Structures are given as C-alpha cells and as structure tokens.
Amino acid sequence: MHMNKTSVADLAVFGGLPAFAETLHVGRPNIGHQERFLSRVGDLLERRWLTNNGPFVKELEAKIASLLGVKHCICMCNGTVALEIATRALELRGEVIIPSFTFVATAHALQWQEITPVFCDVDSQTHNIDPRKVEALITPRTTGIIGVHTWGRGCDALALTEIARRRGLRLMFDASHAFACSYQGRSVGSFGDAEVFSFHATKFFNTFEGGAVVTNDDRLAERARLMKNFGFAGLDNVIYIGTNGKMSEVSAAMGLTNLESLDEFIAINRRNHGRYRLGLEGLPGISLIGYEESERANFQYVIVEVEDTVSGISRDELVRILHAENVRARRYFHPGCHRMEPYRSYFPHAGLLLPETERLTTRVMSLPNGTAVGESDIQVICDLIRFVIENAEAIRSRMA
Ligand code: T4K
C-alpha cells in the first residue's frame, strides 16, 4: 500500500494494498492505429484542405451513416452544437421534456436558445427517462421530447415514439453515450426524428472534439447541413440563419482511424466490464449496472450504485477515497441538471418531481474504463473497493 499523503482515510495503516503510481481517470480516450492516423494527417496537410466539408469529413459521414443504417450523418464540431442545431432544425421552441439525469449539455443546448427544458424523472433500473412520467409534463407549450441513451443503454424509444405521435410532438435522442449500440436489435441513431452523438475525447468513439446529427429525414438533414455552415447554400448565397458547427479534417482523420478499431475497443471494454463484475461480486451495497446480452453495447461505462445503508460507506466517501488513491472515479451526473444553474434558480422545487433522479445522483459513480485501462488496474480498483467496504466502520471513523 502506498503512503499517499493526501489520502483521506490513510488506508495504509490498515495493511497492504497495491498502489497506482499514475492517476487512473474515467474518460481516457480510446485511440486507434496511430500510424494510420498520422498518415491521414500527412494527407490532409499535403492537400492543404483543413476544414469546410473536406474529403475526410465526407468519408466519415458516409461511413457512419452506413454503419448505423441511417440516410444522413452530418458531422459537427461537438455534440453540444449538434444538439443545438438539431433542435433548431426541428423547430423546437417553448418547452422540451428531457431527463435531468444527464450531462448538463442536454439542458444547456435548449436553454441557450431560450427553450425551457422541463425535467422528467428517470427509471430506477434503466437510469433513462421514464415514459410513464412524460405525459404529465406535457403542456400547450411543449414541442418535443429528448430522450438520452444513458450509459449507452437505449431508452424506451418505442414508448416515447408512441407518446410523441399521439401528442403531436417531435422526438429526438441524445445518443452521446451510445455510438455503436443497439436498442431492441435496431441501431441507435435510427430512432425519432433525429439522434445526436458526441465524439468528445472521453466518448467511446472520439474525433478529439466532435459530434453528429443523424436522421432519415431529408429535409431535416438539409437544414442541419445549412445551419452548421452559416446557412450557405452555395457561394455567396446565404438562405438561412446558421452558425459555425463544422468538423475539421484532422478530427475526421481521427474519426476514420478510430472507426477501424471499434471492434477492438468493444472487446477491451467488454473484457474490462467482466473483470469489474467479478471483482465487485458479492460486495454488500455495491451494484454494477449491466448490459443486455441481446443488444449490441459499447461497454464504455462502468457504473456502480452505492447503497450506503448496506455498504456502510457513502458514494461520496468512496469517491474521496478512490481519488486519494489515484483513481479518478466520477460522480456522473451529480447533482443533476435541475440542481445546476440556471435551472435551480428557475425551478427551485424541481427535485420534488424527480425522486429517482435525486436518489441516483447521490448513489452513482463511474469507474475508469476504455483501452487505457488494464486488467491488473481493475483488480486493484476492485480490491480497494472491497477493502473499503470490509473495513467501512473503521475507515469512516478515521475520516470523521
Ligand atoms: N450529452 C451527453 C449525454 C454527454 O455526455 C455530453 C458530453 C454531451 C451531450 C455534450 O457533448 P460534447 O459537446 O462534449 O461533445 C466530460 C466531457 O467533456 C463531455 O464531453 C462529456 N459529455 C461528459 C460526460 O464528460 P467533464 O467536465 O467531466 O470532463 P473532464 O475534463 O473532467 O474530463 C473527464 C476525464 O477524462 C478527466 O478525468 C480526464 C480524462 N481525459 C479527458 C480529456 C479531455 C483524458 O484522459 N484525456 C482527454 O483528452 O466532461
């Protein structure tokens, strides 16, 4: 056990656990074949074509559309701008129903355009928006619903589609976590009016920064394309309000390279997830969320729920200890969008309608995964957690 001076609980006094010399993060990027990436960078420099719908972006868009089985993929500079453009292209306004248990970008993309996000609770098992709670939130100002496929597990797209159809609402998905995943055997990307991906460095599939809107709707695709390029429909011809949402060629080069390694990324993530499952098995108050065997998953997220009345230690205490031991576990999505500004000022009592969200934001933590994480790392992380749970009482009294 290393004697980490910053260690909250000073676990060293309890006896010999191995240590991490280097910090293990949640969110270390998955990186494909480096030489192929560098060769593509050489090509784009030779071409002197760096951005503005270059050949790599076009190739990436075609490959993603084909992989997901959708008609259109429009790559963008990041997932947040892709969300903003998709909501604008869909003409959402007034109020849009979203889960609060998501990364704050889902809400901000709406509020940035003065659309009010109305927070819906999630299902305790799936962590996804609960369709049974959506209808009660619909008002005459509601124009759409955005489901989030949290942790890459598809949200109940069928129930949401039924509600959206019946109530005349647009339906979108924030699929930032769910690249290369399926729901009910169908590829994520093909549900609703449009789906949006983030290709941020921390995501399963990354383009450094990046994102995409995918859709089967020709008109919507056309509008999103115009909007990401200032509304230019040809030289000197602006026909629409737009922004700069373009993906650069170097990002697309990274995307093309990483696309060639998706199977390898999934295999490593899946193996790692299995190691965590074995390592955490039987630990009281610790449950690892699983992925459906019948679906295609990217296994990028290792999500643990901590039930402190059983484990003897709270999620926050456990995260503090892991940090002190150089494991940068994260409390995604703490404290929930409704407890962040400006939403907590706008809706100070939102939590009353979000009991499951409130519960999950105090219990869930995300552990390191991805191709940068090895089996022996996972063994040590699990041993550490096991050690903390088995000595919870003594450790807590030292932390007090
Ligand atoms: N919707 C959902 C559901 C999302 O999860 C996200 C993004 C979005 C929309 C918006 O998409 P983008 O506009 O971002 O494309 C991170 C990411 O910045 C964010 O993209 C992601 N969700 C969110 C869940 O996580 P932070 O503030 O937690 O990031 P940060 O800087 O703390 O990085 C996380 C960890 O990753 C660090 O511990 C270190 C590691 N890391 C990070 C980067 C950037 C690396 O090892 N290498 C790197 O290059 O938000």
Side-chain angles (χ1 to χ4, degrees):
M1 181 74 199
H2 73 136
M3 295 289 288
N4 185 337
K5 286 200 175 64
T6 60
S7 179
V8 181
D10 195 7
L11 296 183
V13 297
F14 294 99
L17 280 169
F20 291 109
E22 280 182 36
T23 306
L24 264 174
H25 289 271
V26 167
R28 299 293 284 163
N30 294 328
I31 299 174
H33 201 285
Q34 289 196 25
E35 266 141 44
R36 270 184 251 153
F37 168 67
L38 292 174
S39 149
R40 286 187 168 108
V41 173
D43 291 349
L44 75 89
L45 293 177
E46 274 300 300
R47 269 198 295 272
R48 291 178 188 264
W49 197 275
L50 307 185
T51 184
N52 288 16
N53 209 21
F56 281 154
V57 165
K58 286 183 185 153
E59 186 183 344
L60 183 63
E61 289 181 340
K63 287 198 164 140
I64 291 175
S66 150
L67 177 80
L68 305 182
V70 289
K71 269 172 95 177
H72 307 282
C73 168
I74 304 115
C75 283
M76 309 231 176
C77 56
N78 61 54
T80 306
V81 168
L83 280 168
E84 286 165 11
I85 289 180
T87 49
R88 216 171 236 273
L90 275 169
E91 296 178 328
L92 297 186
R93 52 178 73 90
E95 295 172 0
V96 171
I97 297 168
I98 66 168
S100 173
F101 193 65
T102 179
F103 189 60
V104 73
T106 321
H108 278 355
L110 296 169
Q111 192 64 51
W112 193 253
Q113 304 177 75
E114 299 187 348
I115 301 168
T116 305
V118 173
F119 297 120
C120 183
D121 210 4
V122 289
D123 179 272
S124 62
Q125 297 304 307
T126 66
H127 299 187
N128 282 327
I129 190 167
D130 187 342
R132 293 166 302 181
K133 303 204 174 135
V134 168
E135 284 213 71
L137 301 174
I138 298 175
T139 73
R141 296 188 72 230
T142 311
T143 56
I145 304 167
I146 303 180
V148 181
H149 304 301
T150 311
W151 319 135
R153 302 192 302 178
C155 61
D156 191 345
L158 304 183
L160 293 173
T161 302
E162 194 278 317
I163 296 170
R165 261 201 208 120
R166 191 159 38 76
R167 304 297 297 257
L169 303 174
R170 307 304 293 247
L171 177 62
M172 234 178 86
F173 292 94
D174 178 340
S176 293
H177 296 184
F179 192 75
C181 298
S182 73
Y183 173 70
Q184 303 226 328
R186 196 170 124 191
S187 190
V188 166
S190 60
F191 293 96
D193 294 300
E195 300 211 49
V196 170
F197 291 100
S198 163
F199 303 149
H200 182 257
T202 55
K203 294 291 181 268
F204 165 69
F205 166 76
N206 85 84
T207 61
F208 296 116
E209 288 272 5
V213 175
V214 297
T215 180
N216 287 315
D217 180 332
D218 298 343
R219 189 166 157 267
L220 187 66
E222 183 55 27
R223 287 159 69 88
R225 261 189 206 293
L226 287 169
M227 284 179 172
K228 77 156 185 182
N229 188 27
F230 315 102
F232 273 108
L235 219 51
D236 304 331
N237 183 26
V238 172
I239 62 163
Y240 219 88
I241 185 171
T243 182
N244 182 354
K246 290 167 283 145
M247 176 181 273
S248 74
E249 284 290 274
V250 76
S251 282
M254 183 68 159
L256 288 167
T257 308
N258 286 339
L259 219 46
E260 290 162 358
S261 297
L262 288 189
D263 290 341
E264 186 196 326
F265 296 166
I266 292 178
I268 292 170
N269 278 351
R270 189 191 179 105
R271 177 207 67 191
N272 286 353
H273 203 272
R275 291 282 158 204
Y276 273 111
R277 198 175 53 241
L278 284 176
L280 299 175
E281 207 158 45
L283 274 182
I286 297 290
S287 34
L288 176 69
I289 70 136
Y291 291 92
E292 293 277 344
E293 273 304 318
S294 57
E295 302 287 2
R296 182 174 157 91
N298 62 30
F299 296 92
Q300 179 74 3
Y301 296 94
V302 174
I303 303 298
V304 169
E305 273 188 55
V306 184
E307 171 74 70
D308 60 355
T309 53
V310 183
S311 62
I313 201 120
S314 72
R315 185 274 314 265
D316 287 353
E317 287 165 330
L318 193 49
V319 167
R320 275 171 70 203
I321 293 169
L322 289 169
H323 281 199
E325 300 298 317
N326 284 344
V327 179
R328 302 292 294 179
R330 296 297 295 262
R331 301 185 298 173
Y332 293 129
F333 297 108
H334 176 86
C337 295
H338 68 288
R339 287 183 178 271
M340 292 177 169
E341 290 297 355
Y343 315 107
R344 74 169 171 227
S345 294
Y346 291 168
F347 320 112
H349 307 298
L352 294 172
L353 287 175
L354 303 168
E356 285 307 332
T357 305
E358 295 265 279
R359 203 179 61 88
L360 288 177
T361 53
T362 62
R363 290 164 58 118
V364 168
M365 68 175 178
S366 174
L367 294 173
N369 199 16
T371 56
V373 178
E375 290 178 271
S376 56
D377 297 327
I378 295 168
Q379 190 61 52
V380 181
I381 294 171
C382 292
D383 287 349
L384 188 53
I385 295 175
R386 183 170 293 275
F387 182 83
V388 172
I389 303 289
E390 283 169 359
N391 296 280
E393 209 175 307
I395 290 171
R396 273 190 108 168
S397 65
R398 283 185 71 87
M399 285 173 82

